[in-house]
């Protein structure tokens, strides 16, 4: 069980990340923690895991807690056993079995006589063929490092498990093992993830935002339905406010015009009646004061309504603020772009694929390229792009314009600023104000135009690249996406999906995210 009361966190530079966070996760509950990148999901997990101290508030969490962090290179210097914090216990067991029955060894083992057997069982489950607790973490792939920490759950058998993006770096087969584990475990779970298949296995969704945490009692599909209802209501409120604002402005104009006519008629009558000049000045001043008061009343009312409307509009999902404008490929649908006849590639005198590859790609297709990590997906992409040539077989490539988009969005140049990067794609010499309009459509305000591309988050890099592709007058015939969602939150995955679905050319996608592939309407799979 986890209870958070008025939790706040301030960065060391004094910037407030979040405040007054309240949340209760009950025993055996499986909860998703979602929210936009930068809102503080990983920080909140670290606070629950007691790896960070909150700036304020109280935490009551189960004592038997296990935390699976996002895996980068921070554990490379450790062995598997050290990373899992079981090295001293395993050493104590070996010492006791070899005859060293010191009190210290028994104290370290703490009657955990089955730890070695559990290690072997989980190694088998997570498909570690050569499980060696003394192996250095730096020798493992990203997916293997993640599986090491996932294996630690069954080794430690905690009451509470915190998972931060656990399916990152996992191939399709390993993700299925994770899904099966999540369904079977009796532990309480709090999971941060953008993997929608995983999120649908959890029975509560907790959305973290600047306003706090809002809890939805259902899986991710249920959450999406509720958000759609909320967004529809928000859109209705915005439309109502817009209508009311227009009417208020019309009312102001009509009232002022009527007042001016009345003032003009009154002045004319007074002049005909021969009213004294001093009295005329007094009457004129009174009329001007009356008009000024009318203007002030209407201006205040209109100002309040405009402010309310701005607040409502700022609550719109970012995807509803964007405007995509991809040009279509000039190639006719069905044109043969690539043919592979009996191709293969050799590494260390070994063919990469057990069977030679034979396939064809035609314009307008949407293809999913699948295979386990190490199956040669990246090599095949290089062959399709012409960066490599096969060492066996024949390849035909039609002349085409291709764009390769990887998970780091490396088409962007880190040394450039946002505005400079946009200009790099300005092949049709659009005026600067038009470039700025396009940047604004993709949520880059004037304050962002001078920001270095190297300082952008994964979601910001994705949005900038999409913006650059809409600025370019050259529409690609082929777009290749290589694990493009790995560093994106759910909102940015939705943005990418909407943009790519407007593109009508040929699409080749490498992704382990089955929901993403389904929403892109991939119609054919090349399985390696």
């Amino acid at each position: 069980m986890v209870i958070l009361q008025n939790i706040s966190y301030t960065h060391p530079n004094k910037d407030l990340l979040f405040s007054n966070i309240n949340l209760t996760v009950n025993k055996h509950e499986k909860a998703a923690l979602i929210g936009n990148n930068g809102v503080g999901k990983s920080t909140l997990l670290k606070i629950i895991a007691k790896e960070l101290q909150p700036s304020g508030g109280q935490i009551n969490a189960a004592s038997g807690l296990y935390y699976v962090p996002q895996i980068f290179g921070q554990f490379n210097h450790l062995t598997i056993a050290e990373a899992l914090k079981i090295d001293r216990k395993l050493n104590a067991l070996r010492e006791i079995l070899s005859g060293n029955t010191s009190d210290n060894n028994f104290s370290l083992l703490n009657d955990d006589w089955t730890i070695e057997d559990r290690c072997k069982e989980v190694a088998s489950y997570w498909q570690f063929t050569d499980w060696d607790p003394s192996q250095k973490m730096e020798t493992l792939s990203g997916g293997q490092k993640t599986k090491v920490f996932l294996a630690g759950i069954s080794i430690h058998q905690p009451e509470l498990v915190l998972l931060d993006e656990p399916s990152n770096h996992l191939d399709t087969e390993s993700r299925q093992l994770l899904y099966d584990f999540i369904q079977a475990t009796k532990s309480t779970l709090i999971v941060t993830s953008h993997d929608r298949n995983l999120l649908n296995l959890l029975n509560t969704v907790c959305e973290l935002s600047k306003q706090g945490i809002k809890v939805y009692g259902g899986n991710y599909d249920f959450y999406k339905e509720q958000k759609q209802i909320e967004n529809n209501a928000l859109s209705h409120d915005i439309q109502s406010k817009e209508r009311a604002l227009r009417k208020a402005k019309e009312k102001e104009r009509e009232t002022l015009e009527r007042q001016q006519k009345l003032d003009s008629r009154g002045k004319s009558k007074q002049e005909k009646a021969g009213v004294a000049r001093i009295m005329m000045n007094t009457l004129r001043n009174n009329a001007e004061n009356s008009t000024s008061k009318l203007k002030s009343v209407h201006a205040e009312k209109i100002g309040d309504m405009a402010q309310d409307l701005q607040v409502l509009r700022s609550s719109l999902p970012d995807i509803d603020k964007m405007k995509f404008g991809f040009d279509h490929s000039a190639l006719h649908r069905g044109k043969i772009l690539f043919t592979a006849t009996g191709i293969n590639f050799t590494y260390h005198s070994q063919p990469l694929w057990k069977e030679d590859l034979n396939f064809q790609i035609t314009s307008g297709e949407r293809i999913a390229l699948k295979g386990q990590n190490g199956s040669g997906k990246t090599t095949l992409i290089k062959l399709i792009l012409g960066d490599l040539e096969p060492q066996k077989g024949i390849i035909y490539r039609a002349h085409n314009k291709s764009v390769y988009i990887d998970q780091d969005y490396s088409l962007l140049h880190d040394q450039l600023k946002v505005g400079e990067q946009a200009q790099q794609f300005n092949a049709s010499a659009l005026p600067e104000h038009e470039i700025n309009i396009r940047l604004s459509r993709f949520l880059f305000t004037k304050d962002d135009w001078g920001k270095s591309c190297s300082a952008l988050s994964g979601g910001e890099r994705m949005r900038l690249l999409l913006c650059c592709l809409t600025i370019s007058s050259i529409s690609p015939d082929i777009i290749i996406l290589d694990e493009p969602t790995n560093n994106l939150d759910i909102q940015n995955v939705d943005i990418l999906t909407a943009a790519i679905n407007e593109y009508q050319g040929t699409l080749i996608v490498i992704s382990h995210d089955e929901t993403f592939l389904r929403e892109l309407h991939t119609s054919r799979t090349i399985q390696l």
Side-chain angles (χ1 to χ4, degrees), residues 202-322:
L202 309 174
N203 49 31
T204 304
V205 173
C206 308
E207 183 185 43
L208 178 62
S209 69
K210 292 178 181 178
Q211 288 72 44
I213 285 185
K214 187 171 183 179
V215 178
Y216 295 81
N219 66 5
Y220 184 73
D221 282 346
F222 174 81
Y223 159 80
K224 287 280 284 185
E225 290 172 4
Q226 296 303 305
K227 289 297 288 185
Q228 188 60 55
I229 292 169
E230 291 175 10
N231 290 336
N232 289 343
L234 176 61
S235 296
H236 183 267
D237 287 347
I238 289 173
Q239 290 168 7
S240 297
K241 282 285 184 188
E242 287 172 340
R243 286 194 297 269
L245 184 58
R246 283 196 298 271
K247 287 181 179 179
K249 289 179 177 179
E250 289 172 6
K251 180 76 171 174
E252 177 191 38
R253 179 178 54 78
E254 290 170 358
T255 302
L256 290 176
E257 285 177 356
R258 187 165 56 249
Q259 184 66 38
Q260 287 166 357
K261 286 178 182 177
L262 290 172
D263 292 347
S264 179
R265 286 175 190 165
K267 182 180 179 182
S268 179
K269 286 179 181 179
Q270 291 154 10
E271 287 174 346
K272 287 179 182 178
V275 176
R277 181 177 296 275
I278 189 168
M279 181 60 72
M280 286 279 287
N281 288 338
T282 302
L283 292 171
R284 186 181 68 246
N285 288 339
N286 289 342
E288 287 175 355
N289 288 337
S290 177
T291 301
S292 178
K293 285 179 182 177
L294 275 173
K295 282 184 177 179
S296 178
V297 168
H298 281 283
E300 185 176 354
K301 182 179 180 181
I302 289 171
D304 290 343
M305 294 177 72
Q307 188 173 0
D308 291 344
L309 183 58
Q310 181 62 31
V311 170
L312 288 173
R313 283 176 175 160
S314 68
S315 300
L316 274 173
D318 285 345
I319 193 169
D320 291 342
K321 303 174 190 174
M322 290 193 198

Side-chain angles (χ1 to χ4, degrees), residues 117-404:
D117 293 332
R118 293 202 308 280
C119 286
K120 291 175 182 176
E121 286 174 10
V122 298
S124 174
Y125 179 85
W126 292 106
Q127 299 178 347
F128 277 99
T129 51
D130 299 312
W131 173 268
D132 180 2
S134 65
Q135 185 176 356
K136 282 280 190 179
M137 291 286 285
E138 65 186 358
T139 65
L140 304 179
S141 69
Q144 288 174 320
K145 289 174 184 175
T146 299
K147 289 198 286 186
V148 163
F149 281 91
L150 291 173
I153 302 172
S154 297
I155 293 172
H156 289 283
Q157 299 177 336
E159 291 180 41
L160 171 64
V161 179
L162 310 177
L163 302 172
D164 195 352
E165 298 289 358
S167 61
N168 273 10
H169 310 297
L170 296 184
D171 57 28
T172 303
E173 190 174 348
S174 297
R175 285 189 182 210
Q176 189 57 54
L177 292 174
L178 174 61
Y179 302 156
D180 293 343
F181 174 83
I182 284 175
Q183 286 180 295
T185 185
K186 301 299 182 185
S187 296
T188 305
L189 299 181
I190 303 178
V191 185
T192 290
S193 178
H194 63 260
D195 181 341
R196 288 159 291 182
N197 284 350
L198 188 159
L199 294 175
N200 271 328
L201 302 176
L202 309 174
N203 49 31
T204 304
V205 173
C206 308
E207 183 185 43
L208 178 62
S209 69
K210 292 178 181 178
Q211 288 72 44
I213 285 185
K214 187 171 183 179
V215 178
Y216 295 81
N219 66 5
Y220 184 73
D221 282 346
F222 174 81
Y223 159 80
K224 287 280 284 185
E225 290 172 4
Q226 296 303 305
K227 289 297 288 185
Q228 188 60 55
I229 292 169
E230 291 175 10
N231 290 336
N232 289 343
L234 176 61
S235 296
H236 183 267
D237 287 347
I238 289 173
Q239 290 168 7
S240 297
K241 282 285 184 188
E242 287 172 340
R243 286 194 297 269
L245 184 58
R246 283 196 298 271
K247 287 181 179 179
K249 289 179 177 179
E250 289 172 6
K251 180 76 171 174
E252 177 191 38
R253 179 178 54 78
E254 290 170 358
T255 302
L256 290 176
E257 285 177 356
R258 187 165 56 249
Q259 184 66 38
Q260 287 166 357
K261 286 178 182 177
L262 290 172
D263 292 347
S264 179
R265 286 175 190 165
K267 182 180 179 182
S268 179
K269 286 179 181 179
Q270 291 154 10
E271 287 174 346
K272 287 179 182 178
V275 176
R277 181 177 296 275
I278 189 168
M279 181 60 72
M280 286 279 287
N281 288 338
T282 302
L283 292 171
R284 186 181 68 246
N285 288 339
N286 289 342
E288 287 175 355
N289 288 337
S290 177
T291 301
S292 178
K293 285 179 182 177
L294 275 173
K295 282 184 177 179
S296 178
V297 168
H298 281 283
E300 185 176 354
K301 182 179 180 181
I302 289 171
D304 290 343
M305 294 177 72
Q307 188 173 0
D308 291 344
L309 183 58
Q310 181 62 31
V311 170
L312 288 173
R313 283 176 175 160
S314 68
S315 300
L316 274 173
D318 285 345
I319 193 169
D320 291 342
K321 303 174 190 174
M322 290 193 198
K323 303 292 182 187
F324 302 112
F326 287 110
D327 290 333
H328 300 329
S329 167
L331 298 179
H332 67 80
R333 197 170 187 85
K335 176 182 170 65
I336 296 173
L337 299 179
F338 183 90
T339 302
T341 306
I343 68 166
N344 216 319
F345 199 84
T346 301
Y347 285 106
H348 307 298
S349 303
Q350 292 293 321
L352 183 55
W353 302 295
K354 290 182 180 179
E355 296 183 6
D356 299 338
L357 303 183
N358 296 277
F359 64 91
Q360 197 171 73
I361 297 173
T362 59
S363 63
E365 283 194 285
R366 296 197 155 214
I367 299 169
L369 179 55
K370 294 184 178 182
Q372 293 185 14
N373 293 341
S375 62
K377 299 187 293 294
T378 300
T379 299
L380 182 55
I381 289 299
K382 289 180 179 179
L383 289 167
I384 293 171
L385 291 171
D387 296 336
L388 287 176
E389 293 298 330
Q391 293 166 338
K392 180 183 180 183
I394 300 170
I395 277 179
Y396 164 77
R397 297 185 194 91
H399 177 72
N400 65 76
K401 299 179 287 292
S402 302
V403 172
Y404 174 67

Side-chain angles (χ1 to χ4, degrees), residues 35-54:
N36 296 342
N37 281 349
V39 78
K41 302 184 298 296
S42 294
T43 299
L44 189 58
L45 284 187
K46 287 178 181 177
I47 287 172
I48 298 171
K50 297 182 174 60
E51 295 207 352
L52 278 179
Q53 284 295 319

